[in-house]
Amino acid sequence: MSDQPTAPRFEPLRPASRAASKTKRRNKARGTEAELALRRQLWSLGLRYRLHAKDLPGKPDIVFRRQRLAVFVDGDFWHGRDWEARRRKLAAGHNAQYWLDKIGYNRARDRRNTEQLEVAGWRVIRLWETDVKQAPRRAAEIVQAALSQG
């Protein structure tokens, strides 16, 4: 039996509304707007990479194998950006305990994946989706700088 925690399950709960349910279903795990913007900028800088490496913890969004650099573009909601403020807002909403548990689980999983990658000799960059969307060139330059240091 694994000592890994299991993700919270939504089955016994009801969505707040059809619209909320539809919105959550449309969220993508891969090929998000932020991820695509970052990839375009990396490509324009002449940087070549691999996508969603299934053999690495967390399946990083962008991988530079030779330099052992893993890049994640974390969604603000799902990965708990500004967690204290978000936690207060979620606590007052529909299915509050589920969302608190779910995003708390995601944050803990992100920490575990980062730690596992670092122990294996990888460097990890985590970028927030809003930051990438607002300044994709700046996000790409952060990656470029890490590559030049490694």
Side-chain angles (χ1 to χ4, degrees):
M1 187 142 144
S2 173
D3 60 350
Q4 295 289 334
T6 58
R9 304 297 299 186
F10 194 76
E11 282 82 25
L13 305 175
R14 296 204 183 279
S17 67
R18 286 181 191 250
S21 183
K22 185 177 180 182
T23 297
K24 294 289 185 248
R25 270 197 310 271
R26 282 197 318 252
N27 285 325
K28 296 169 21 173
R30 296 178 179 185
T32 65
E33 180 183 338
E35 186 183 322
L36 294 173
L38 177 59
R39 286 166 40 189
R40 279 190 296 272
Q41 291 299 314
L42 293 171
W43 193 264
S44 76
L45 291 172
L47 302 174
R48 302 301 178 253
Y49 46 82
R50 296 284 180 239
L51 300 176
H52 310 289
K54 293 177 183 177
D55 62 320
L56 295 176
K59 299 179 200 156
D61 297 313
I62 298 169
V63 175
F64 297 89
R65 285 200 181 269
R66 193 166 31 92
Q67 298 93 339
R68 297 182 69 80
L69 179 68
V71 180
F72 293 89
V73 180
D74 290 337
D76 294 356
F77 177 80
W78 295 104
H79 296 267
R81 184 174 195 171
D82 300 324
W83 181 233
E84 291 308 315
R86 187 169 307 277
R87 182 169 34 195
R88 285 190 300 276
K89 186 174 180 182
L90 287 170
H94 194 73
N95 294 324
Q97 196 57 56
Y98 168 78
W99 290 112
L100 292 169
D101 291 348
K102 172 65 176 154
I103 295 172
Y105 170 84
N106 290 350
R107 290 168 49 83
R109 182 195 61 213
D110 291 344
R111 285 189 298 274
R112 279 193 315 273
N113 289 334
T114 295
E115 183 179 307
Q116 289 172 2
L117 285 163
E118 289 174 343
V119 165
W122 286 77
R123 290 175 298 140
V124 177
I125 295 177
R126 288 191 170 274
L127 302 168
W128 290 111
E129 73 172 324
T130 299
D131 295 341
V132 174
K133 286 163 71 173
Q134 288 176 348
R137 185 65 170 204
R138 176 68 188 122
E141 289 169 350
I142 290 169
V143 175
Q144 185 180 42
L147 290 167
S148 68
Q149 292 171 0

Short mmCIF file of all heavy atoms in Angstrom, two decimals, residues 43-87:
data_model
loop_
_atom_site.label_atom_id
_atom_site.label_comp_id
_atom_site.label_asym_id
_atom_site.label_seq_id
_atom_site.Cartn_x
_atom_site.Cartn_y
_atom_site.Cartn_z
N TRP A 43 10.56 29.28 -28.01
CA TRP A 43 10.92 28.93 -29.39
C TRP A 43 11.55 30.14 -30.09
O TRP A 43 12.55 30.01 -30.78
CB TRP A 43 9.67 28.46 -30.14
CG TRP A 43 9.98 27.81 -31.44
CD1 TRP A 43 9.97 28.39 -32.68
CD2 TRP A 43 10.34 26.44 -31.65
NE1 TRP A 43 10.31 27.47 -33.64
CE2 TRP A 43 10.54 26.27 -33.03
CE3 TRP A 43 10.51 25.36 -30.79
CZ2 TRP A 43 10.90 25.04 -33.57
CZ3 TRP A 43 10.86 24.15 -31.35
CH2 TRP A 43 11.06 24.01 -32.73
N SER A 44 10.98 31.34 -29.86
CA SER A 44 11.52 32.54 -30.50
C SER A 44 12.91 32.88 -30.00
O SER A 44 13.68 33.55 -30.69
CB SER A 44 10.58 33.73 -30.31
OG SER A 44 10.67 34.25 -29.00
N LEU A 45 13.25 32.42 -28.79
CA LEU A 45 14.60 32.62 -28.24
C LEU A 45 15.56 31.52 -28.72
O LEU A 45 16.72 31.50 -28.31
CB LEU A 45 14.55 32.63 -26.71
CG LEU A 45 13.88 33.84 -26.07
CD1 LEU A 45 13.71 33.64 -24.57
CD2 LEU A 45 14.65 35.12 -26.37
N GLY A 46 15.07 30.61 -29.54
CA GLY A 46 15.91 29.54 -30.06
C GLY A 46 16.05 28.36 -29.11
O GLY A 46 16.93 27.51 -29.29
N LEU A 47 15.19 28.29 -28.09
CA LEU A 47 15.28 27.21 -27.11
C LEU A 47 14.38 26.06 -27.53
O LEU A 47 13.22 26.26 -27.89
CB LEU A 47 14.87 27.73 -25.72
CG LEU A 47 15.71 28.90 -25.21
CD1 LEU A 47 15.15 29.42 -23.91
CD2 LEU A 47 17.16 28.48 -25.05
N ARG A 48 14.93 24.85 -27.48
CA ARG A 48 14.18 23.65 -27.86
C ARG A 48 13.99 22.78 -26.63
O ARG A 48 14.86 22.69 -25.77
CB ARG A 48 14.91 22.89 -28.97
CG ARG A 48 15.14 23.74 -30.23
CD ARG A 48 13.83 24.26 -30.82
NE ARG A 48 14.04 25.11 -31.98
CZ ARG A 48 13.88 26.43 -31.99
NH1 ARG A 48 13.53 27.07 -30.89
NH2 ARG A 48 14.08 27.12 -33.09
N TYR A 49 12.84 22.17 -26.54
CA TYR A 49 12.42 21.50 -25.32
C TYR A 49 11.54 20.30 -25.64
O TYR A 49 11.14 20.10 -26.78
CB TYR A 49 11.64 22.48 -24.44
CG TYR A 49 10.61 23.25 -25.24
CD1 TYR A 49 9.36 22.69 -25.53
CD2 TYR A 49 10.89 24.52 -25.74
CE1 TYR A 49 8.44 23.36 -26.29
CE2 TYR A 49 9.97 25.19 -26.51
CZ TYR A 49 8.74 24.63 -26.78
OH TYR A 49 7.83 25.30 -27.54
N ARG A 50 11.23 19.55 -24.63
CA ARG A 50 10.27 18.44 -24.70
C ARG A 50 9.08 18.81 -23.83
O ARG A 50 9.18 19.64 -22.93
CB ARG A 50 10.89 17.12 -24.21
CG ARG A 50 12.04 16.65 -25.06
CD ARG A 50 11.51 16.05 -26.36
NE ARG A 50 12.59 15.60 -27.19
CZ ARG A 50 12.82 16.03 -28.42
NH1 ARG A 50 12.05 16.94 -28.96
NH2 ARG A 50 13.81 15.55 -29.12
N LEU A 51 7.95 18.15 -24.11
CA LEU A 51 6.71 18.46 -23.39
C LEU A 51 6.26 17.30 -22.52
O LEU A 51 6.37 16.14 -22.91
CB LEU A 51 5.60 18.78 -24.38
CG LEU A 51 5.84 19.96 -25.31
CD1 LEU A 51 4.69 20.09 -26.31
CD2 LEU A 51 6.00 21.25 -24.51
N HIS A 52 5.74 17.62 -21.34
CA HIS A 52 5.01 16.68 -20.49
C HIS A 52 5.69 15.33 -20.34
O HIS A 52 5.12 14.30 -20.68
CB HIS A 52 3.58 16.51 -21.00
CG HIS A 52 2.91 17.82 -21.26
ND1 HIS A 52 2.52 18.65 -20.24
CD2 HIS A 52 2.61 18.45 -22.41
CE1 HIS A 52 1.97 19.74 -20.77
NE2 HIS A 52 2.02 19.65 -22.07
N ALA A 53 6.88 15.35 -19.81
CA ALA A 53 7.68 14.13 -19.64
C ALA A 53 7.01 13.20 -18.64
O ALA A 53 7.04 13.45 -17.43
CB ALA A 53 9.09 14.49 -19.20
N LYS A 54 6.43 12.13 -19.14
CA LYS A 54 5.70 11.20 -18.29
C LYS A 54 6.59 10.43 -17.33
O LYS A 54 6.12 9.92 -16.32
CB LYS A 54 4.91 10.21 -19.15
CG LYS A 54 3.81 10.86 -19.93
CD LYS A 54 3.11 9.86 -20.83
CE LYS A 54 2.06 10.57 -21.66
NZ LYS A 54 1.40 9.68 -22.59
N ASP A 55 7.89 10.39 -17.62
CA ASP A 55 8.81 9.65 -16.76
C ASP A 55 9.34 10.48 -15.59
O ASP A 55 10.09 9.98 -14.78
CB ASP A 55 9.98 9.11 -17.60
CG ASP A 55 10.80 10.21 -18.23
OD1 ASP A 55 10.21 11.21 -18.71
OD2 ASP A 55 12.04 10.10 -18.26
N LEU A 56 8.93 11.74 -15.50
CA LEU A 56 9.39 12.61 -14.42
C LEU A 56 8.25 12.91 -13.45
O LEU A 56 7.09 13.02 -13.87
CB LEU A 56 9.94 13.92 -14.99
CG LEU A 56 11.18 13.80 -15.85
CD1 LEU A 56 11.56 15.16 -16.43
CD2 LEU A 56 12.34 13.22 -15.06
N PRO A 57 8.56 13.08 -12.17
CA PRO A 57 7.52 13.41 -11.20
C PRO A 57 6.76 14.67 -11.61
O PRO A 57 7.37 15.69 -11.95
CB PRO A 57 8.30 13.64 -9.90
CG PRO A 57 9.55 12.85 -10.06
CD PRO A 57 9.88 12.94 -11.54
N GLY A 58 5.44 14.59 -11.60
CA GLY A 58 4.61 15.73 -11.92
C GLY A 58 4.43 16.00 -13.40
O GLY A 58 3.72 16.92 -13.77
N LYS A 59 5.10 15.22 -14.27
CA LYS A 59 5.02 15.43 -15.72
C LYS A 59 5.19 16.91 -16.07
O LYS A 59 4.25 17.58 -16.49
CB LYS A 59 3.69 14.93 -16.28
CG LYS A 59 3.46 13.46 -16.07
CD LYS A 59 2.11 13.06 -16.62
CE LYS A 59 1.69 11.77 -15.99
NZ LYS A 59 0.24 11.57 -16.01
N PRO A 60 6.39 17.45 -15.88
CA PRO A 60 6.60 18.88 -16.12
C PRO A 60 6.08 19.32 -17.49
O PRO A 60 6.15 18.57 -18.47
CB PRO A 60 8.12 19.03 -16.05
CG PRO A 60 8.58 17.86 -15.26
CD PRO A 60 7.63 16.75 -15.54
N ASP A 61 5.58 20.55 -17.55
CA ASP A 61 5.02 21.07 -18.80
C ASP A 61 6.09 21.20 -19.88
O ASP A 61 5.83 20.91 -21.05
CB ASP A 61 4.38 22.44 -18.55
CG ASP A 61 3.22 22.35 -17.58
OD1 ASP A 61 2.37 21.46 -17.76
OD2 ASP A 61 3.17 23.15 -16.64
N ILE A 62 7.28 21.65 -19.48
CA ILE A 62 8.39 21.86 -20.42
C ILE A 62 9.64 21.29 -19.78
O ILE A 62 9.92 21.54 -18.61
CB ILE A 62 8.56 23.37 -20.73
CG1 ILE A 62 7.28 23.89 -21.41
CG2 ILE A 62 9.79 23.61 -21.58
CD1 ILE A 62 7.21 25.39 -21.53
N VAL A 63 10.39 20.53 -20.58
CA VAL A 63 11.57 19.85 -20.05
C VAL A 63 12.77 20.10 -20.96
O VAL A 63 12.69 19.96 -22.18
CB VAL A 63 11.32 18.33 -19.94
CG1 VAL A 63 12.57 17.60 -19.50
CG2 VAL A 63 10.16 18.05 -19.00
N PHE A 64 13.88 20.47 -20.34
CA PHE A 64 15.17 20.58 -21.01
C PHE A 64 16.03 19.47 -20.42
O PHE A 64 16.63 19.63 -19.35
CB PHE A 64 15.79 21.96 -20.76
CG PHE A 64 14.98 23.09 -21.32
CD1 PHE A 64 13.98 23.69 -20.56
CD2 PHE A 64 15.20 23.55 -22.61
CE1 PHE A 64 13.23 24.74 -21.06
CE2 PHE A 64 14.44 24.60 -23.13
CZ PHE A 64 13.46 25.19 -22.35
N ARG A 65 16.06 18.34 -21.08
CA ARG A 65 16.70 17.14 -20.51
C ARG A 65 18.20 17.31 -20.30
O ARG A 65 18.72 16.96 -19.26
CB ARG A 65 16.41 15.92 -21.38
CG ARG A 65 15.00 15.44 -21.20
CD ARG A 65 14.86 13.98 -21.65
NE ARG A 65 13.49 13.56 -21.48
CZ ARG A 65 13.00 12.99 -20.39
NH1 ARG A 65 13.78 12.76 -19.36
NH2 ARG A 65 11.75 12.65 -20.32
N ARG A 66 18.88 17.80 -21.32
CA ARG A 66 20.34 17.90 -21.22
C ARG A 66 20.75 18.79 -20.05
O ARG A 66 21.69 18.49 -19.32
CB ARG A 66 20.93 18.42 -22.54
CG ARG A 66 22.42 18.28 -22.65
CD ARG A 66 22.95 18.49 -24.06
NE ARG A 66 22.21 19.42 -24.87
CZ ARG A 66 22.46 20.74 -24.99
NH1 ARG A 66 23.47 21.27 -24.35
NH2 ARG A 66 21.72 21.50 -25.76
N GLN A 67 20.01 19.87 -19.83
CA GLN A 67 20.32 20.79 -18.74
C GLN A 67 19.62 20.41 -17.44
O GLN A 67 19.80 21.08 -16.42
CB GLN A 67 19.92 22.22 -19.13
CG GLN A 67 20.66 22.74 -20.33
CD GLN A 67 19.90 22.49 -21.64
OE1 GLN A 67 19.04 21.63 -21.74
NE2 GLN A 67 20.26 23.24 -22.67
N ARG A 68 18.79 19.37 -17.50
CA ARG A 68 18.05 18.87 -16.33
C ARG A 68 17.25 19.99 -15.66
O ARG A 68 17.34 20.22 -14.45
CB ARG A 68 18.97 18.17 -15.34
CG ARG A 68 19.61 16.93 -15.96
CD ARG A 68 20.50 16.15 -15.04
NE ARG A 68 19.83 15.46 -13.97
CZ ARG A 68 19.19 14.28 -14.07
NH1 ARG A 68 19.16 13.67 -15.23
NH2 ARG A 68 18.62 13.73 -13.02
N LEU A 69 16.43 20.66 -16.50
CA LEU A 69 15.57 21.74 -16.03
C LEU A 69 14.12 21.39 -16.36
O LEU A 69 13.79 21.07 -17.51
CB LEU A 69 15.95 23.06 -16.71
CG LEU A 69 15.10 24.27 -16.31
CD1 LEU A 69 15.33 24.65 -14.85
CD2 LEU A 69 15.41 25.45 -17.23
N ALA A 70 13.29 21.41 -15.33
CA ALA A 70 11.85 21.14 -15.49
C ALA A 70 11.08 22.42 -15.21
O ALA A 70 11.34 23.10 -14.21
CB ALA A 70 11.42 20.04 -14.51
N VAL A 71 10.14 22.74 -16.09
CA VAL A 71 9.35 23.96 -15.96
C VAL A 71 7.87 23.60 -15.85
O VAL A 71 7.35 22.84 -16.66
CB VAL A 71 9.56 24.90 -17.18
CG1 VAL A 71 8.74 26.17 -17.03
CG2 VAL A 71 11.04 25.21 -17.37
N PHE A 72 7.24 24.16 -14.84
CA PHE A 72 5.79 23.99 -14.64
C PHE A 72 5.12 25.35 -14.79
O PHE A 72 5.62 26.34 -14.27
CB PHE A 72 5.49 23.47 -13.23
CG PHE A 72 5.97 22.07 -12.98
CD1 PHE A 72 7.25 21.84 -12.49
CD2 PHE A 72 5.14 20.98 -13.19
CE1 PHE A 72 7.70 20.56 -12.23
CE2 PHE A 72 5.58 19.69 -12.93
CZ PHE A 72 6.85 19.47 -12.46
N VAL A 73 4.01 25.37 -15.49
CA VAL A 73 3.16 26.56 -15.55
C VAL A 73 1.93 26.22 -14.72
O VAL A 73 1.06 25.47 -15.16
CB VAL A 73 2.79 26.94 -16.99
CG1 VAL A 73 1.91 28.18 -17.00
CG2 VAL A 73 4.04 27.16 -17.83
N ASP A 74 1.89 26.72 -13.50
CA ASP A 74 0.85 26.37 -12.54
C ASP A 74 -0.35 27.30 -12.65
O ASP A 74 -0.19 28.53 -12.60
CB ASP A 74 1.39 26.43 -11.12
CG ASP A 74 2.39 25.32 -10.82
OD1 ASP A 74 2.35 24.29 -11.50
OD2 ASP A 74 3.20 25.50 -9.89
N GLY A 75 -1.53 26.71 -12.79
CA GLY A 75 -2.76 27.48 -12.81
C GLY A 75 -3.01 28.12 -11.46
O GLY A 75 -2.87 27.48 -10.42
N ASP A 76 -3.39 29.38 -11.47
CA ASP A 76 -3.57 30.14 -10.22
C ASP A 76 -4.59 29.47 -9.30
O ASP A 76 -4.35 29.34 -8.10
CB ASP A 76 -4.03 31.56 -10.53
CG ASP A 76 -2.99 32.39 -11.26
OD1 ASP A 76 -1.87 31.91 -11.47
OD2 ASP A 76 -3.30 33.54 -11.62
N PHE A 77 -5.73 29.06 -9.82
CA PHE A 77 -6.77 28.45 -8.99
C PHE A 77 -6.35 27.07 -8.51
O PHE A 77 -6.31 26.80 -7.31
CB PHE A 77 -8.10 28.36 -9.75
CG PHE A 77 -9.17 27.67 -8.95
CD1 PHE A 77 -9.87 28.37 -7.98
CD2 PHE A 77 -9.46 26.33 -9.14
CE1 PHE A 77 -10.84 27.74 -7.22
CE2 PHE A 77 -10.43 25.69 -8.38
CZ PHE A 77 -11.13 26.40 -7.43
N TRP A 78 -6.01 26.19 -9.43
CA TRP A 78 -5.77 24.78 -9.09
C TRP A 78 -4.55 24.55 -8.23
O TRP A 78 -4.45 23.56 -7.52
CB TRP A 78 -5.67 23.93 -10.36
CG TRP A 78 -6.97 23.92 -11.09
CD1 TRP A 78 -7.28 24.62 -12.23
CD2 TRP A 78 -8.15 23.20 -10.73
NE1 TRP A 78 -8.58 24.37 -12.59
CE2 TRP A 78 -9.14 23.50 -11.68
CE3 TRP A 78 -8.47 22.35 -9.69
CZ2 TRP A 78 -10.42 22.97 -11.63
CZ3 TRP A 78 -9.74 21.81 -9.63
CH2 TRP A 78 -10.70 22.12 -10.59
N HIS A 79 -3.58 25.48 -8.30
CA HIS A 79 -2.34 25.30 -7.53
C HIS A 79 -2.26 26.26 -6.34
O HIS A 79 -1.25 26.30 -5.65
CB HIS A 79 -1.12 25.42 -8.45
CG HIS A 79 -1.09 24.34 -9.48
ND1 HIS A 79 -0.41 23.16 -9.28
CD2 HIS A 79 -1.68 24.24 -10.69
CE1 HIS A 79 -0.58 22.38 -10.33
NE2 HIS A 79 -1.35 23.01 -11.20
N GLY A 80 -3.32 27.04 -6.12
CA GLY A 80 -3.44 27.82 -4.90
C GLY A 80 -2.60 29.07 -4.81
O GLY A 80 -2.02 29.34 -3.75
N ARG A 81 -2.56 29.84 -5.87
CA ARG A 81 -1.84 31.12 -5.78
C ARG A 81 -2.53 32.01 -4.74
O ARG A 81 -3.75 32.00 -4.62
CB ARG A 81 -1.84 31.82 -7.13
CG ARG A 81 -1.03 33.09 -7.08
CD ARG A 81 -0.90 33.73 -8.41
NE ARG A 81 0.15 34.72 -8.37
CZ ARG A 81 0.61 35.34 -9.43
NH1 ARG A 81 0.15 35.05 -10.61
NH2 ARG A 81 1.56 36.23 -9.31
N ASP A 82 -1.75 32.79 -4.01
CA ASP A 82 -2.29 33.64 -2.94
C ASP A 82 -3.19 32.80 -2.04
O ASP A 82 -4.35 33.13 -1.79
CB ASP A 82 -3.06 34.83 -3.53
CG ASP A 82 -2.19 35.71 -4.41
OD1 ASP A 82 -0.99 35.88 -4.09
OD2 ASP A 82 -2.68 36.20 -5.43
N TRP A 83 -2.62 31.71 -1.53
CA TRP A 83 -3.38 30.68 -0.85
C TRP A 83 -4.20 31.19 0.33
O TRP A 83 -5.35 30.79 0.52
CB TRP A 83 -2.46 29.53 -0.44
CG TRP A 83 -3.17 28.42 0.24
CD1 TRP A 83 -2.85 27.88 1.44
CD2 TRP A 83 -4.33 27.69 -0.21
NE1 TRP A 83 -3.72 26.86 1.76
CE2 TRP A 83 -4.64 26.73 0.75
CE3 TRP A 83 -5.13 27.77 -1.34
CZ2 TRP A 83 -5.71 25.85 0.64
CZ3 TRP A 83 -6.20 26.90 -1.47
CH2 TRP A 83 -6.48 25.95 -0.48
N GLU A 84 -3.65 32.06 1.13
CA GLU A 84 -4.39 32.52 2.30
C GLU A 84 -5.68 33.23 1.90
O GLU A 84 -6.75 32.95 2.43
CB GLU A 84 -3.52 33.40 3.19
CG GLU A 84 -2.39 32.65 3.87
CD GLU A 84 -2.86 31.41 4.62
OE1 GLU A 84 -3.87 31.48 5.34
OE2 GLU A 84 -2.23 30.35 4.47
N ALA A 85 -5.60 34.13 0.95
CA ALA A 85 -6.80 34.85 0.48
C ALA A 85 -7.75 33.88 -0.23
O ALA A 85 -8.97 33.93 -0.03
CB ALA A 85 -6.41 35.99 -0.44
N ARG A 86 -7.21 33.00 -1.05
CA ARG A 86 -8.05 32.05 -1.78
C ARG A 86 -8.74 31.10 -0.81
O ARG A 86 -9.91 30.75 -0.98
CB ARG A 86 -7.21 31.27 -2.79
CG ARG A 86 -8.05 30.39 -3.70
CD ARG A 86 -7.26 29.82 -4.85
NE ARG A 86 -6.54 30.79 -5.64
CZ ARG A 86 -7.09 31.51 -6.63
NH1 ARG A 86 -8.35 31.37 -6.91
NH2 ARG A 86 -6.36 32.35 -7.32
N ARG A 87 -8.03 30.68 0.22
CA ARG A 87 -8.59 29.75 1.19
C ARG A 87 -9.79 30.39 1.90
O ARG A 87 -10.82 29.75 2.10
CB ARG A 87 -7.54 29.32 2.20
CG ARG A 87 -8.09 28.32 3.19
CD ARG A 87 -7.08 27.64 4.05
NE ARG A 87 -5.93 28.41 4.41
CZ ARG A 87 -4.83 27.88 4.92
NH1 ARG A 87 -4.75 26.59 5.09
NH2 ARG A 87 -3.83 28.63 5.25
#
